[in-house]
């Protein structure tokens, strides 16, 4: 065979394949592209998370409700992210901002909507409706396929246990102050008790709602979950029709 | 095939094909050596058809175009405003505002007429009324049906909007007001407010008195009742209840106090239900829709609610 072998791409590959060290570095090079695409945006987080008025860390009661939301796997059927499309904003309200998930560890965006999006469920229904719906969804929405969660109303909420979530979240980067951490258990009971003196609590969590949330005498897991639902999406103050220039940096 | 190892290029001259004795050569890669066949399957180093190469390179170029045309590099965006990042200046938020604007301008003439017309004019004009009802149908399903039911027929604690019994009033203005400010919405100053005292829980009436009162309440709407008990409770009713529910229990829309003489019950007419209504009192809560939906959507909902046939 006098024919001159052609240098082709495939041959190049064949040569790389036969040199182990070269092959290792080639693999590393290709994989790091994928890694870079995922990691690089984290370095631009200051740019992608726009500052918005009204955001505050969750109150201990809301945080407990969120822990119960995660434990029960509500995210399996409910997303918490409204996309900037007309059909979504007309149904659910203003699209979600990155800042609204800034205190979420982990975030609850999700992609599965067996039920509606819950990013702005707060204030859409009354506390009583939420309790009745969670006790037995079919009582208020006859065609619902959501499972009942009546046991939550019978499960007492242990403030000492859930207060530790505040500390955990601080370690994860949520800006809870020392005072907020120290008062977590007390704040949890105060928020669920309309007759308690809420001055200290409201100073720590401006604008938070202090009321009974459900009919139980002592806070239950139901109380915490309803408090969390009623807060969802109500913190950020902005109007998607007229994005406030002050909101944008 | 006996002597051959799997078709991988091996150093050395091409081995002969055991069947014919001729050395095996890959026409696309003559420099490959060694047996190319195994178990009757021949492995050649051919190029893929040209079309795949073309598609591969085209998608690559398209990706690069998307990368520079649309906002995709987070380091360049400014606090959520991505419009300055891509070459096209496109941003999903601006696109949404434009989309909403187009939708609002979809039927400018009839929308303009709707905005200027009074409720009386709207309800007299089938075109305007139909326009409002069509626009409000999905809004009702989204925002109201979970409580008031798909057809507005209500549920325990959530009033039927299709009947002629109104707590706060069934005129267009009254309905609009209920929607704008909500009912007993916590921490909201202008909301509709009124609170029946929890007569039992607060110790104003004793248990036997409340049981008598249940009979009296039943008597008001002509339900079967214990006449002696109802008569015993009559003075207590006159003293405690008429200020809100009226002399004969006919209700008061100023206070959202239900009419007790019709056979329409917000919380049910069983002994247990009426007992609880008096013992613990009720306080139905409806959210505020003013800021959430805006006046235009609310006016359409008012026309829609009245189209159930229960308006005043």
């Amino acid at each position: 065979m006098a024919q001159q072998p052609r240098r082709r791409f495939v041959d190049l590959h064949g040569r790389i394949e036969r040199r182990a060290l070269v092959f290792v570095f080639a693999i590393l090079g290709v994989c790091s592209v994928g890694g870079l695409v995922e990691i690089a945006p984290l370095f631009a987080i200051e740019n992608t998370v726009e500052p918005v008025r009204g955001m505050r860390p969750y109150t201990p009661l809301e945080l407990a409700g969120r822990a119960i939301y995660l434990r029960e796997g509500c995210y399996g059927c409910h997303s918490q992210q409204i996309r900037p499309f007309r059909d979504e904003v007309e149904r659910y309200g203003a699209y979600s901002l990155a800042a609204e998930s800034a205190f979420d560890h982990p975030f609850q965006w999700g992609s599965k909507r067996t039920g509606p999006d819950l990013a702005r469920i707060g204030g859409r229904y009354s506390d009583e409706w939420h309790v009745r719906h969670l006790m037995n969804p079919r009582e208020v929405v006859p065609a619902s396929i959501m499972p009942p969660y009546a046991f939550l109303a019978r499960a007492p909420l242990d403030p000492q246990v859930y207060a530790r979530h505040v500390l955990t979240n601080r370690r994860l980067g949520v800006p809870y102050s020392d005072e907020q951490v120290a008062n977590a258990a007390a704040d949890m009971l105060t928020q669920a008790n309309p007759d308690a003196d809420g001055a200290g609590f409201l100073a720590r969590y401006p604008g938070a709602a202090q009321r009974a949330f459900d009919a139980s005498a002592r806070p239950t897991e139901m109380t915490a979950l309803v408090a969390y639902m009623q807060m969802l999406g109500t913190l950020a103050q902005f109007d998607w029709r007229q994005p406030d220039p002050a909101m944008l940096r | 095939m006996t002597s051959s190892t799997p078709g991988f290029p091996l150093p050395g001259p091409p081995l002969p094909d055991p069947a014919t004795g001729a050395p095996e050569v890959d026409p696309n890669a003559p420099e490959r050596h060694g047996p190319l066949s195994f178990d009757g399957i021949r492995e050649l180093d051919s190029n893929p058809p040209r079309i795949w190469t073309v598609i591969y390179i085209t998608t690559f170029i398209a990706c690069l175009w998307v990368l520079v045309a649309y906002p995709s590099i987070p380091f360049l965006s400014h606090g959520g405003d991505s419009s300055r990042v891509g070459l096209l200046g496109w941003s999903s938020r601006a696109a949404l505002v434009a989309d909403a604007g187009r939708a609002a301008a979809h039927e400018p003439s009839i929308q303009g007429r709707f905005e200027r017309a009074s409720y009386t004019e709207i309800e007299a004009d089938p075109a305007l009324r139909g326009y409002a009802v069509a626009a409000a149908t999905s809004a009702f399903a989204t925002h109201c049906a979970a409580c008031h039911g798909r057809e507005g027929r209500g549920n325990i604690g959530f009033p039927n909007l299709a009947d002629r019994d109104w707590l706060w009033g069934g005129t267009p203005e009254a309905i609009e007001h209920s929607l704008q400010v909500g009912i007993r919405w916590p921490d909201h100053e202008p909301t509709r407010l009124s609170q029946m005292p929890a007569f039992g829980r607060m110790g104003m009436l004793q248990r036997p008195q409340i049981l008598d009162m249940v009979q009296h309440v039943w008597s008001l709407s002509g339900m079967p009742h214990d006449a002696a008990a109802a008569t015993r409770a009559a003075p207590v009713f006159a003293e405690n209840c008429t200020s809100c529910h009226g002399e004969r229990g006919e209700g008061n829309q100023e206070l959202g106090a239900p009419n007790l003489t019709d056979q329409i019950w917000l919380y049910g007419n069983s002994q247990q239900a009426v007992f609880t209504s008096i013992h613990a009192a009720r306080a139905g809560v409806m959210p505020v829709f003013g800021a959430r939906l805006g006046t235009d959507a609310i006016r359409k909902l008012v026309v829609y609610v009245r189209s159930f046939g229960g308006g005043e």
Side-chain angles (χ1 to χ4, degrees):
Chain A
M1 277 283 181
Q3 201 182 331
Q4 184 66 29
R6 275 187 297 143
R7 295 242 163 264
R8 298 180 319 142
F9 182 66
V10 186
D11 301 336
L12 181 71
H13 201 275
R15 282 206 313 267
I16 294 176
E17 264 174 33
R18 267 173 272 156
R19 287 169 179 76
L21 208 62
V22 178
F23 197 43
V24 164
F25 278 105
I27 289 176
L28 283 179
V30 171
C31 290
S32 62
V33 172
L36 227 84
V37 167
E38 291 214 343
I39 296 164
L42 293 182
F43 295 109
I45 205 96
E46 294 292 313
N47 261 349
T48 37
V49 181
E50 61 278 69
V52 56
R53 257 183 312 245
M55 288 310 298
R56 58 157 172 80
Y58 303 136
T59 68
L61 189 67
E62 292 157 6
L63 197 63
R66 189 173 180 281
I68 292 155
Y69 183 92
L70 298 189
R71 186 191 72 198
E72 296 306 330
C74 310
Y75 53 79
C77 292
H78 294 286
S79 60
Q80 282 189 25
Q81 192 204 20
I82 302 163
R83 295 168 292 178
F85 305 142
R86 188 163 75 86
D87 54 334
E88 297 229 345
V89 297
E90 277 192 2
R91 173 161 182 191
Y92 299 123
Y95 50 73
S96 297
L97 299 176
E100 292 180 273
S101 308
F103 302 138
D104 276 355
H105 293 284
F107 64 78
Q108 293 299 304
W109 300 341
S111 58
K112 181 75 179 76
R113 284 185 183 163
T114 304
D117 189 279
L118 298 182
R120 298 215 184 277
I121 192 71
R124 280 191 62 163
Y125 300 121
S126 54
D127 298 344
E128 192 223 353
W129 185 90
H130 277 294
V131 173
R132 278 168 72 177
H133 182 250
L134 285 164
M135 298 291 279
N136 177 12
R138 259 120 349 250
E139 196 234 330
V140 280
V141 184
S144 178
I145 55 156
M146 177 164 139
Y149 291 91
F151 59 91
L152 295 176
R154 294 189 298 271
L157 188 77
D158 185 342
Q160 296 305 334
V161 169
Y162 282 101
R164 289 191 213 132
H165 286 238
V166 174
L167 189 58
T168 311
N169 272 265
R170 178 156 89 168
R171 296 211 172 118
L172 292 171
V174 180
Y176 283 112
S177 66
D178 291 340
E179 209 196 336
Q180 285 171 322
V181 172
N183 289 291
D187 282 348
M188 203 177 300
L189 294 174
T190 304
Q191 188 178 6
N193 180 2
D195 302 326
D197 173 13
F201 165 71
L202 288 171
R204 282 185 284 278
Y205 301 96
Q210 178 185 357
R211 55 178 194 262
F213 295 108
D214 69 349
S216 62
R218 305 266 308 158
T220 61
E221 295 187 344
M222 180 70 85
T223 320
L225 189 56
V226 173
Y228 174 60
M229 292 279 108
Q230 293 290 41
M231 173 279 304
L232 271 181
T234 61
L235 300 182
Q237 306 295 322
F238 78 107
D239 178 1
W240 66 268
R241 284 167 208 281
Q242 285 136 15
D244 180 351
M247 188 186 95
L248 308 168
R249 205 177 304 139
Chain B
M1 300 282 142
T2 45
S3 63
S4 54
T5 39
F8 200 76
L10 294 174
L15 294 186
D17 181 340
T20 61
E24 246 189 320
V25 175
D26 184 340
N28 299 303
E31 75 283 9
R32 283 181 76 195
H33 297 290
L36 303 174
S37 305
F38 183 76
D39 266 2
I41 298 173
R42 204 146 71 108
E43 191 205 296
L44 298 180
D45 230 355
S46 318
N47 276 325
R50 175 64 41 92
I51 176 78
W52 294 122
T53 317
V54 171
I55 290 177
Y56 178 72
I57 291 171
T58 319
T59 34
F60 218 87
I61 294 169
C63 283
L64 288 177
W65 162 246
V66 169
L67 202 71
V68 294
Y70 290 93
S72 53
I73 300 167
F75 296 96
L76 302 178
S77 76
H78 291 264
D81 174 17
S82 52
S83 60
R84 278 170 285 161
V85 180
L87 289 183
L88 295 183
W90 182 90
S91 105
S92 56
R93 294 174 182 183
L96 169 65
V97 172
D99 196 10
R102 269 196 302 281
H106 183 53
E107 289 181 84
S109 63
I110 191 153
Q111 172 67 26
R113 274 211 295 140
F114 178 82
E115 280 168 17
R116 284 187 302 275
S118 71
Y119 283 115
T120 323
E121 289 161 359
I122 294 167
E123 292 188 338
D125 179 340
L128 281 182
R129 189 164 170 275
Y131 173 70
V133 167
T137 305
S138 65
F140 189 87
T142 307
H143 299 283
C144 322
C147 292
H148 293 287
R150 285 253 144 196
E151 279 106 39
R153 295 194 185 276
N155 195 339
I156 295 192
F158 303 123
N160 184 340
L161 302 177
D163 63 14
R164 293 189 170 276
D165 185 39
W166 294 92
L167 296 162
W168 300 93
T171 62
E173 291 72 22
I175 296 176
E176 181 178 336
H177 191 62
S178 294
L179 293 180
Q180 288 280 7
V181 301
I183 300 171
R184 300 189 187 90
W185 190 249
D187 305 324
H188 183 69
E189 180 53 45
T191 192
R192 286 192 186 276
L193 266 183
S194 78
Q195 183 54 57
M196 172 166 157
F199 285 98
R201 210 185 272 156
M202 289 161 62
M204 297 159 79
L205 295 180
Q206 299 312 308
R207 192 180 156 80
Q209 289 178 292
I210 299 179
L211 286 169
D212 285 353
M213 186 62 78
V214 172
Q215 301 297 326
H216 184 78
V217 168
W218 276 348
S219 76
L220 294 174
S221 56
M223 283 178 49
H225 60 277
D226 173 348
T231 316
R232 274 199 303 278
V236 186
F237 187 89
E239 191 182 328
N240 291 293
C241 319
T242 48
S243 55
C244 294
H245 290 283
E247 289 300 318
R248 287 164 293 106
E250 71 279 8
N252 181 345
Q253 293 185 349
E254 292 289 303
L255 300 167
N259 183 343
L260 301 175
T261 63
D262 55 17
Q263 292 201 353
I264 296 171
W265 300 85
L266 185 53
Y267 294 97
N269 65 3
S270 68
Q271 167 147 353
Q272 181 64 51
V274 179
F275 185 90
T276 307
S277 290
I278 304 169
H279 177 82
R282 315 276 194 173
V285 175
M286 175 158 107
V288 180
F289 288 100
R292 187 177 295 270
L293 300 181
T295 301
D296 181 54
I298 286 183
R299 288 183 81 229
K300 287 170 183 158
L301 276 164
V302 169
V303 178
Y304 182 72
V305 165
R306 286 170 57 87
S307 77
F308 292 139
E312 279 180 344

